[in-house]
Amino acid sequence: MAAPKKGRRPAGGQSRPGRALALIVIAMVALTGGMFWSGHTTPRLGIDLAGGTSITLKAKAEPGKESAVNETNMNTAVGIIERRVNGLGVSEAEVQTQGRENIIVNIPRGANEKQAREQVGTTAQLYFRPVLAVAAASPAPNPSATPSGSATPSAKPSGATADQPKGGKSATPTATASSTGQGRAVSEALKAPSPTPTASSSASPKATTPPATTPPADPATAKLEQQFATLDCTPKVEGDKKVVPNPARGVPADQPTVACGQEGDAKYLLGPAEVDGKDVADAKGVLDQQRGMWIVTMDFTDAGSKKFQKITSKLSMQTEPQNQFAIVLDGEVVSAPSVRQTLSASAEISGSFNQQSAQDLGNILSYGALPLTFDTQSVDTVTAALGGDQLQAGLIAGAIGLALVIIYLVVYYRGLSLIAIASLGVSALLTYVIMALLGPTIGFALNLPAVCGAIVAIGITADSFIVYFERIRDEIREGRTLRPAVERAWPRARRTILVSDFVSFLAAAVLFIVTVGKVQGFAFTLGLTTLLDIVVVFLFTKPVMTLVARTKFFGNGHKLSGLDPKSLGAKPPLRRTRRTSAPAGPVDPKEA
């Protein structure tokens, strides 16, 4: 007796639909629990929905360097600005180019919005220049006065003990304030043959007597002398801001210059830049627990370490104020620490910092200098009320589209529409929970184009159900009952659904790669919902359809089930007819 043949699994491999349903239920519970546990129960909103600030920057090339405004430098600037802003915790900020020479910075409303706006505007070159002379902020009215320059922080290797006088500030340099005295100081500083002072030069009375009657031979030096002597760094009040003169902005790195302190408390004569912002590998503001003060630590690149070691070796042998180096950002002296010993790969800047000033300086130093200078063209504020109106309009449009889809499903598929609506609900829940979790994890912000992507996804998801339902109805039209029709229709419907979703996902991926800004939100949402469509169809719609096929309402083809054989115009059971008409035994040739 022949052994019975092993039964084949139904097409599609869904012999136990309960397992697939259990899997998707567990995933939904876990994701929802994670959303509530993280405390982020709503998706993070982008600038067009939550409000914020949009800043437009225009690149400005230096004279003779117009070719510097190119795609490479613009992309580099975008990366640096983005890291600066994100370093403040504004992870949903958008930074993108617009045209050939504009950069758009969108900063959503938040706690660090004002601070981020200030650092976005700080876009000029960053240099470390040796200090040649320091004087009071404004020219003195008489040549006999000798005011003191401002106190400066000190720089030392990380971990070393600070060598400071009482009060936590380094020794205060002095400078003669008269025009003649300042001009002589400039001339001596620029003409000094060696950075290393000798004992005789400091002790000899003749060395301190400047040749007052000898005019400088170099016109550039004479101009710099005059500029330093007459420079007035006293802040001017314009509106609600204090504006400090900025004569150093745009001066090439290889040229000496004069500059004002960031607060307008002193003016500086600075030599050519020895180190620039690209040589700083990392910097951050930290609290020194032992000394109870805020400091800024710096780490240099290999090339920057060699440059910094060379210049600090020279500066450490100088006297005040020529043992200082100035950190010049956007033409202003942010800090001018004194150097007391040779520094190399690591250093720190200490002085009268508070938490915000230390962290701001560390953030600026860490992310380096931009390859271009920029002018702020516009600063626009987007109100949350406008974003709320746009979101409301988008949600109304989505609700109308969803209602039309549901009406179509109910009218055309009747009982089957319940399965489709339940599948849409599962897909919507998964989409919402995942968007809420992606906000704190990868900085995903839901903007208006992303909402449009979710609305478009309703049609894509509904299309997958329609493909499967129509395959089942085709099987019933051929004379099969519902249970075998569900399993036989699945392989063909599955291929169609996968191909259709693959095309949609591929379009979303290409759109995400080749576009920037808000359009990426549309592409990301479209790709996410397309993947979820596959998950829902495989783990929810197909198993549920397998289970309802075992019920009398659907299995017997009730008129309201949407699977009534008569309504579908089903043919007689052709396979059964062939079996009953087949001959039972040998046929007599005469009868044939």
Side-chain angles (χ1 to χ4, degrees), residues 37 86 129 200 274 322 406 451 462 473:
W37 179 78
N86 291 346
R129 292 177 178 267
S200 59
E274 300 286 347
Q322 294 183 2
I406 290 176
V451 174
R473 287 154 71 105

Side-chain angles (χ1 to χ4, degrees), residues 517-533:
K518 296 178 182 179
V519 180
Q520 286 186 328
F522 173 85
F524 182 86
T525 306
L526 183 61
L528 174 65
T529 51
T530 300
L531 292 177
L532 290 178
D533 174 51

Side-chain angles (χ1 to χ4, degrees), residues 148-512:
S148 297
S150 62
T152 58
S154 63
K156 65 178 189 62
S158 297
T161 304
D163 181 17
Q164 297 177 344
K166 291 182 180 179
K169 293 180 180 178
S170 57
T172 303
T174 60
T176 304
S178 67
S179 297
T180 304
Q182 289 182 9
R184 293 169 184 169
V186 173
S187 181
E188 290 178 359
L190 293 175
K191 294 180 179 180
S194 171
T196 306
T198 61
S200 59
S201 63
S202 60
S204 173
K206 295 181 180 179
T208 60
T209 305
T213 59
T214 305
D218 185 5
T221 302
K223 182 179 179 180
L224 202 60
E225 289 177 2
Q226 181 67 21
Q227 191 176 3
F228 181 67
T230 59
L231 178 61
D232 186 358
C233 289
T234 305
K236 307 294 189 300
V237 178
E238 296 182 4
D240 58 347
K241 292 183 178 181
K242 289 196 309 181
V243 179
V244 178
N246 194 347
R249 185 169 187 176
V251 176
D254 58 351
Q255 298 294 323
T257 185
V258 295
C260 295
Q262 199 171 35
E263 301 299 326
D265 52 358
K267 59 181 178 181
Y268 298 84
L269 172 64
L270 306 175
E274 300 286 347
V275 184
D276 62 34
K278 297 177 183 178
D279 295 317
V280 178
D282 186 34
K284 55 186 176 182
V286 297
L287 178 63
D288 189 329
Q289 300 287 350
Q290 294 181 347
R291 291 177 284 173
M293 59 187 296
W294 282 91
I295 61 175
V296 178
T297 61
M298 293 186 298
D299 294 322
F300 291 91
T301 62
D302 292 339
S305 178
K306 294 177 182 178
K307 295 178 186 177
F308 198 64
Q309 184 177 13
K310 180 179 179 181
I311 183 59
T312 55
S313 175
K314 297 177 181 179
L315 294 178
S316 63
M317 295 183 287
Q318 299 282 4
T319 57
E320 294 283 356
Q322 294 183 2
N323 68 337
Q324 298 173 235
F325 69 88
I327 301 172
V328 184
L329 178 68
D330 200 15
E332 294 180 346
V333 178
V334 177
S335 178
S338 300
V339 179
R340 295 189 174 90
Q341 56 184 325
T342 301
L343 310 175
S344 56
S346 298
E348 73 176 36
I349 304 173
S350 62
S352 52
F353 289 113
N354 56 30
Q355 180 178 357
Q356 181 171 340
S357 62
Q359 291 178 345
D360 283 351
L361 180 57
N363 190 42
I364 292 168
L365 292 174
S366 179
Y367 298 124
L370 297 176
L372 300 166
T373 57
F374 290 86
D375 288 332
T376 302
Q377 295 293 103
S378 63
V379 179
D380 301 320
T381 299
V382 180
T383 63
L386 178 60
D389 293 341
Q390 292 176 336
L391 178 60
Q392 183 179 6
L395 293 177
I396 292 174
I400 294 174
L402 180 61
L404 292 175
V405 170
I406 290 176
I407 291 173
Y408 169 79
L409 291 173
V410 171
V411 171
Y412 193 73
Y413 290 106
R414 301 184 182 183
L416 282 178
S417 64
L418 298 176
I419 301 173
I421 294 171
S423 300
L424 284 172
V426 172
S427 180
L429 176 63
L430 288 173
T431 302
Y432 181 88
V433 172
I434 291 175
M435 284 184 176
L437 291 174
L438 289 178
T441 53
I442 66 172
F444 171 75
L446 184 66
N447 52 28
L448 198 59
V451 174
C452 295
I455 295 173
V456 171
I458 296 174
I460 295 176
T461 305
D463 184 62
S464 299
F465 308 149
I466 292 172
V467 169
Y468 185 32
F469 293 161
E470 287 301 320
R471 291 293 187 186
I472 294 173
R473 287 154 71 105
D474 286 343
E475 294 293 333
I476 292 175
R477 289 187 183 98
E478 292 181 3
R480 294 183 178 85
T481 57
L482 181 58
R483 291 183 68 175
V486 167
E487 301 302 335
R488 288 180 64 88
W490 174 241
R492 290 190 295 171
R494 179 179 59 198
R495 286 194 298 269
T496 305
I497 292 170
L498 287 175
V499 170
S500 175
D501 284 345
F502 174 76
V503 172
S504 297
F505 183 80
L506 184 62
V510 172
L511 192 63
F512 184 84

